[in-house]
Amino acid sequence: MKGDLCEMHSNNVRKIQACSALTLAGLSLTAALAGAGPALAGGGPASALMPAVTAPGLGDEQYRPAVHFTPKQNWMNDPNGMVYYNGVYHLYYQHNPSGNTWGNMSWGHATSTDLMHWKEQPLAIPTDDQQDIFSGSVVVDKENTSGFGTAENPPMIAIFTSAYKDASPYKGLQAQSLAYSLDEGQTWTKYSANPVLNRNSANFRDPKVFWYDSPNGGGYWVMAAVEATEHKVLLYKSANLKDWSLLSEFGPANATGGLWECPDLFPLAVDGDPGNVKWVMVVNINPGGVAGGSAGQYFVGDFDGTTFTSETTKASDGLPAGTPLAGFNDGTYGGWTVSNEPGNRVNGPFGDAPAAGTLPGQNAVAGFASAGLINSFNDGDWPLGSMDSPAFTVTNDYLNFLVGGGQHPRVSDKLDNTPPPGDLLFSGFEVPDGSTMAEAGWTGTGDLAPNYQPATSGGDFYIGTKRINTFDTGAAPGDDRQGTMTSPSFTLSRNFMSMLVGGGHRDAASGQLLEVQLLVNGTVVRTAAGDDAGALNWKGWDVSEFAGQQARLRIVDQATGGWGHLTLDHVMLTDQAAVPRSDETTVNLVVDGKVVRTATGANSEVLDWASWNVSEFKGRQASIRVVDNNRFGWGHILADEFIASSHPATPRLETYDWLDYGRDYYASVSFGNMPQDQRVMLGWMNNWDYANAIPTSPWRSAMSLPRQVGLTQTAAGPRLVQKAVPQADKLATRISYAEKRARSITPGTHVLPSAAWGDVQRIDVTLAPGTAAKSGITVLGNGNSSTVIGYDKAAGKVYVDRRNSGNTSFHPLFASVDSAPVTPDASGNVTLRIYVDRSSVEVFAQNGLRTITDQVFPEQGANQVALFAEGGTAQLKSVTIKPMAESMFGAETTTTKRGRR
């Protein structure tokens, strides 16, 4: 799995340019965690901005997990090659050995004797000038079928995806390759005849290999790999791991809203009955997960050695009952008013009539009904526009509709880039041609010396032709350019400042500064930064408290690596606060001229049902407005079949089977060669929506807890159950707080005694919803913020609400409420086992029938635990809290080799 950072669905040139800054990611962060020092009124040396401070020790960094695996430093994503051999668990993983964002893909390596105490090993399989090393698996070739070892010393074989670079004769392709190890996984030799399986495809990847014992005797190796954009798992067989023949294909099926990646296929006995064995096909998907972005789905069925047959594939649904308002199936927009931006190559984004499906340059569109739909990909992502329905009277409780396309929520009423009324400072950087900001009175240091500015390239939505761009400075452009640049003084004559800001940002944990600063009397009083985006947008400050005082603007760029630059334009003094431009792709309900409901896509070309409760507007006039105000990645909207109904439509995604209902459990596959045929899975605890932006340093990303998985019979058929491996629970032995007698939880939030507090703990809680609409427990709290884990009685769902969990501002898609359908047991109880580890929660509901895994980044020192109820009284049946002993970094463990099995 590679983790596409630029959008997959279009060849639009403008979009490729918008992604360019991300392709520069992978450069090493250079500074340890440090605080910003006193501000300088002028352009002093950059080092003066950040005095040296003592960096936290390894394992003591803010957000560093105590019981989840993280590399000591640098980027990590998918678990790869997980295998057990001679008493040692091996975890290989996608790793950037050179930086803290995605890039330079290689296989990192860690080992453990208990799945919890991991020791990082030297880099296993590095990238080279020919190929990146993408995801795959490792097998123990016990019979030496490959011939790489001997009967006495059988080889371990890594089967991985070669992502071929420009220097390779296979340039642009993804194919499957081998490497072998004769020293129990410590060092690896690439097979000289790689690749061993090549389909001449750019999206063929993620091989998972296992030995299949034929019921007729003998056996062979089976590989499951994906054609990612075709939503297919391809099964191959081999006798020697080097020569492969196609067995069969599976898919498309169920969730197809993104790339299919990281497959797995394995048998499980239903409720432990060896006479009732089913096979489980795991398919990870990005985007298109049930909670948004990355996720893993699974199918239950049978495998006969050739073909996997699913018993859990869902049939296409029909339209929900109700009164159709618009369906776009007669070849017209049926009276809707269409506003297409003039001046584009074709009449985009909506054209003159509904689309029949997929448009030129677009990945396959699915999930719409009948003959037509709204599809604003006409002429690609670039054109902007809107559509308005005729007015109608709201007569039903719900408005159901299909929506897809880009995930760009509505943020304001402002759809253009016009500046607010006010006074423009610094002439908008539009200095005369041939002159620089030095002649305009600016001073600076390093690569930001004012004679390098203004720039005439970089960014989007600037005004005029010139702006400040710290990427385009110094001797050679790039994200590693550093320095400061300070304006001449000016008077703060209005209550607000507004400006266009783009480029990157840095959090405190990075040890770097990248921001625009307002200096009053030499002190930094306000700051602003970009959002890791090429588009500049309006930001600003309330400066009324400094009215009449002299001020300066300073641009500080101490950042390196991806998005290590800042763009700035059109700085103004204004009488009103800055209103950000809404770069939205949305469907909206308008009542009395105001947007009262809004929905956006999920970065998916597959439409799914959305539903608005509109009962409060019954009897009133309304209209539907579809807006495409985004020019770049996923800058389009899909919509179809607006139906007034008495009941909400169920999103199709919620009817499929998911490994986890949270935002942060992806690329999950199982260990091979496990003793007693155990099935243990492990996932990457992150989401491609925001993976490169999470505020951790010097590492980025953690793995989930290892999970034992099984099948149990349910009313719907056999379904997965999951629980943390017993070794995880051995870290939680001492009870710090317990309540065994039932009591009421009255409305409100009730902080438990300090004995219950902690940031690394296992919590077991059983509650009955009673009359409460919502009830549950909060963790990692401090009175101002917390992570909320509860049960929504009306929805019948367990949920994790991290909208006020601490640091959520690093990415607009991070704050979320993630939920899983859960039915109370026969006694009316909901039972949760919760693992809390500094920057994550893993929730196992009803003995593991549902799980929710989410990252959180709490405020420093937040460790309070509380019970809550809303809208009535719930019953606490029991709660037990156990601190968990640290297994990572606190006491480095050495892997002891045990005797061969």
Side-chain angles (χ1 to χ4, degrees):
M1 174 272 199
K2 67 175 182 174
D4 285 341
L5 299 181
C6 297
E7 273 56 46
M8 66 179 185
H9 65 289
S10 166
N11 294 320
N12 188 294
V13 173
R14 297 183 183 96
K15 181 185 303 173
I16 294 172
Q17 293 170 338
C19 292
S20 61
L22 278 175
T23 66
L24 298 169
L27 300 173
S28 176
L29 294 178
T30 59
L33 181 65
L40 304 178
S47 60
L49 295 171
M50 296 184 66
V53 298
T54 302
L58 182 64
D60 294 328
E61 305 97 334
Q62 187 179 10
Y63 307 136
R64 173 76 81 169
V67 298
H68 292 75
F69 175 76
T70 55
K72 293 177 181 177
Q73 63 182 27
N74 295 341
W75 168 270
M76 175 182 73
N77 56 287
D78 303 4
N80 295 159
M82 298 188 298
V83 67
Y84 179 79
Y85 186 48
N86 283 343
V88 177
Y89 299 94
H90 293 265
L91 166 62
Y92 300 91
Y93 50 89
Q94 291 284 278
H95 186 50
N96 181 357
S98 304
N100 205 18
T101 50
W102 185 90
N104 309 306
M105 282 295 96
S106 306
W107 273 26
H109 184 203
T111 54
S112 174
T113 57
D114 67 354
L115 288 169
M116 297 304 300
H117 295 81
W118 291 97
K119 182 174 182 178
E120 194 167 348
Q121 302 290 347
L123 193 68
I125 309 178
T127 183
D128 59 32
D129 64 337
Q130 297 283 310
Q131 62 184 314
D132 278 327
I133 311 300
F134 282 5
S135 291
S137 51
V138 168
V139 298
V140 179
D141 187 10
K142 299 175 184 178
E143 304 301 324
N144 192 32
T145 63
S146 63
F148 291 129
T150 65
E152 295 74 25
N153 186 25
M156 293 173 68
I157 309 295
I159 309 95
F160 58 87
T161 297
S162 293
Y164 287 107
K165 300 179 181 179
D166 288 351
S168 168
Y170 300 103
K171 171 185 174 181
L173 299 181
Q174 293 179 5
Q176 313 322 316
S177 295
L178 300 185
Y180 60 91
S181 173
L182 301 178
D183 57 4
E184 301 191 7
Q186 293 303 306
T187 61
W188 293 87
T189 301
K190 292 174 185 172
Y191 179 38
S192 60
N194 281 335
V196 297
L197 182 55
N198 179 16
R199 289 171 51 88
N200 293 315
S201 167
N203 291 285
F204 176 48
R205 56 180 177 265
D206 306 344
K208 180 65 188 291
V209 175
F210 64 93
W211 180 262
Y212 177 74
D213 286 312
S214 173
N216 301 321
Y220 44 87
W221 297 104
V222 173
M223 176 196 295
V226 294
E227 278 289 354
T229 60
E230 296 177 14
H231 308 116
K232 290 182 179 180
V233 177
L234 281 68
L235 300 178
Y236 291 84
K237 70 179 291 186
S238 174
N240 60 11
L241 293 165
K242 295 180 286 191
D243 302 295
W244 295 90
S245 59
L246 182 66
L247 287 171
S248 61
E249 298 179 358
F250 170 73
N254 290 2
T256 58
L259 298 168
W260 273 22
E261 296 190 315
C262 301
D264 202 354
L265 180 62
F266 50 82
L268 288 173
V270 180
D271 293 315
D273 178 4
N276 184 14
V277 173
K278 293 292 184 181
W279 284 75
V280 177
M281 173 75 82
V282 170
V283 183
N284 288 272
I285 183 171
N286 173 66
V290 64
S294 312
Q297 63 178 324
Y298 72 92
F299 302 83
V300 180
D302 292 300
F303 177 60
D304 62 3
T306 299
T307 302
F308 172 75
T309 304
S310 169
E311 299 172 359
T312 58
T313 299
K314 303 293 184 181
S316 299
D317 60 353
L319 298 181
T323 303
L325 300 178
F328 315 109
N329 297 318
D330 63 355
T332 76
Y333 281 130
W336 287 52
T337 302
V338 181
S339 300
N340 289 314
E341 180 183 51
N344 289 292
R345 183 178 60 88
V346 298
N347 192 23
F350 297 104
D352 299 315
T358 307
L359 294 172
Q362 188 175 25
N363 272 10
V365 174
F368 59 97
S370 299
L373 76 156
I374 294 173
N375 183 348
S376 74
F377 197 74
N378 193 38
D379 201 17
D381 277 335
W382 184 260
L384 309 180
S386 62
M387 290 181 55
D388 290 273
S389 76
F392 60 91
T393 301
V394 178
T395 58
N396 292 77
D397 288 343
Y398 293 92
L399 180 58
N400 299 320
F401 56 96
L402 290 164
V403 63
Q407 188 173 20
H408 304 290
R410 173 184 169 83
V411 298
S412 74
D413 289 330
K414 184 176 177 61
L415 297 179
D416 60 29
N417 202 44
T418 56
D423 304 322
L424 180 64
L425 297 176
F426 320 124
S427 301
F429 308 117
E430 301 293 330
V431 298
D433 291 346
S435 67
T436 69
M437 299 310 297
E439 288 140 303
W442 286 65
T443 59
T445 66
D447 296 314
L448 267 66
N451 54 296
Y452 294 126
Q453 296 289 341
T456 56
S457 63
D460 295 283
F461 290 103
Y462 50 86
I463 295 175
T465 60
K466 300 174 182 178
R467 58 273 191 198
I468 304 298
N469 181 6
T470 72
F471 184 94
D472 209 14
T473 58
D479 274 328
D480 286 354
R481 306 279 70 81
Q482 294 179 303
T484 66
M485 191 169 137
T486 306
S487 78
S489 65
F490 57 91
T491 303
L492 292 170
S493 58
R494 295 182 185 248
N495 288 336
F496 297 91
M497 287 188 70
S498 301
M499 66 201 77
L500 286 167
V501 185
H505 76 286
R506 290 294 187 269
D507 57 74
S510 72
Q512 299 181 341
L513 281 180
L514 181 63
E515 60 191 25
V516 182
Q517 301 173 338
L518 179 66
L519 308 177
V520 177
N521 295 323
T523 299
V524 177
V525 295
R526 300 287 188 272
T527 64
D531 298 309
D532 291 349
L536 286 75
N537 208 337
W538 292 102
K539 298 192 176 189
W541 308 305
D542 183 338
V543 295
S544 56
E545 65 182 286
F546 308 112
Q549 297 188 51
Q550 293 293 293
R552 294 189 185 198
L553 210 63
R554 182 169 64 199
I555 300 158
V556 180
D557 183 346
Q558 295 179 326
T560 58
W563 290 111
H565 69 278
L566 201 68
T567 46
L568 177 69
D569 196 18
H570 226 73
V571 181
M572 302 186 67
L573 295 170
T574 59
D575 291 326
Q576 303 294 326
V579 177
R581 184 186 61 255
S582 186
D583 294 331
E584 64 190 76
T585 51
T586 56
V587 178
N588 306 282
L589 182 68
V590 181
V591 177
D592 296 333
K594 295 182 179 180
V595 173
V596 296
R597 298 287 187 273
T598 185
T600 186
N603 288 349
S604 172
E605 304 291 25
V606 179
L607 291 82
D608 202 355
W609 290 107
S611 184
W612 291 325
N613 185 329
V614 294
S615 57
E616 66 183 282
F617 307 112
K618 274 187 176 180
R620 297 170 67 178
Q621 291 288 289
S623 63
I624 299 162
R625 178 175 299 155
V626 180
V627 178
D628 178 348
N629 203 52
N630 196 292
R631 296 197 186 278
F632 304 110
W634 286 107
H636 64 280
I637 185 74
L638 311 172
D640 195 18
E641 299 297 341
F642 292 88
I643 299 172
S645 180
S646 57
H647 295 92
T650 300
R652 296 169 181 140
L653 284 180
E654 293 185 7
T655 70
Y656 306 148
D657 294 305
W658 298 94
L659 294 175
D660 194 282
Y661 286 77
R663 296 270 285 164
D664 295 308
Y665 188 72
Y666 187 62
S668 43
V669 289
S670 62
F671 278 84
N673 199 45
M674 288 289 284
Q676 292 84 48
D677 293 325
Q678 298 175 60
R679 188 60 56 179
V680 173
M681 298 188 74
L682 187 71
W684 178 49
M685 205 156 57
N686 211 334
N687 190 304
W688 282 114
D689 275 352
Y690 44 73
N692 281 274
I694 61 170
T696 62
S697 178
W699 84 101
R700 188 167 273 122
S701 292
M703 294 301 180
S704 71
L705 288 177
R707 301 180 181 183
Q708 281 191 344
V709 296
L711 281 176
T712 192
Q713 188 66 39
T714 73
R719 293 296 185 270
L720 281 182
V721 287
Q722 305 176 67
K723 62 181 180 180
V725 294
Q727 297 94 317
D729 291 327
K730 288 180 180 178
L731 299 175
T733 58
R734 177 180 62 86
I735 296 175
S736 64
Y737 182 82
E739 294 186 44
K740 299 298 185 182
R741 298 181 64 180
R743 67 175 174 90
S744 296
I745 309 173
T746 56
T749 299
H750 312 283
V751 178
L752 293 176
S754 59
W757 301 1
D759 62 358
V760 184
Q761 55 188 178
R762 193 191 86 187
I763 301 173
D764 291 280
V765 60
T766 298
L767 57 89
T771 61
K774 296 179 180 180
S775 55
I777 193 165
T778 69
V779 299
L780 299 171
N782 63 358
N784 297 314
S785 64
S786 66
T787 298
V788 180
I789 303 165
Y791 183 73
D792 184 325
K793 183 179 178 181
K797 293 180 178 181
V798 167
Y799 65 92
V800 174
D801 184 346
R802 62 180 184 184
R803 291 174 298 178
N804 186 35
S805 57
N807 184 357
T808 64
S809 63
F810 57 85
H811 195 280
L813 296 180
F814 182 77
S816 65
V817 181
D818 304 320
S819 60
V822 167
T823 301
D825 64 20
S827 300
N829 296 332
V830 174
T831 299
L832 309 175
R833 174 163 286 184
I834 304 164
Y835 295 88
V836 178
D837 187 8
R838 293 181 182 161
S839 56
S840 67
V841 294
E842 290 178 83
V843 181
F844 296 77
Q846 305 302 69
N847 297 312
L849 271 172
R850 296 284 188 270
T851 66
I852 300 176
T853 301
D854 276 340
Q855 295 179 96
V856 290
F857 300 99
E859 295 181 7
Q860 189 81 47
N863 65 352
Q864 293 180 6
V865 178
L867 300 172
F868 76 93
E870 296 178 13
T873 299
Q875 276 239 313
L876 173 69
K877 296 299 185 72
S878 67
V879 61
T880 302
I881 299 176
K882 296 181 177 182
M884 296 184 71
E886 188 171 4
S887 65
M888 291 297 305
F889 301 114
E892 286 275 3
T893 57
T894 22
T895 298
T896 303
K897 292 185 179 179
R898 299 176 182 171
R900 298 180 189 273
R901 292 184 295 115

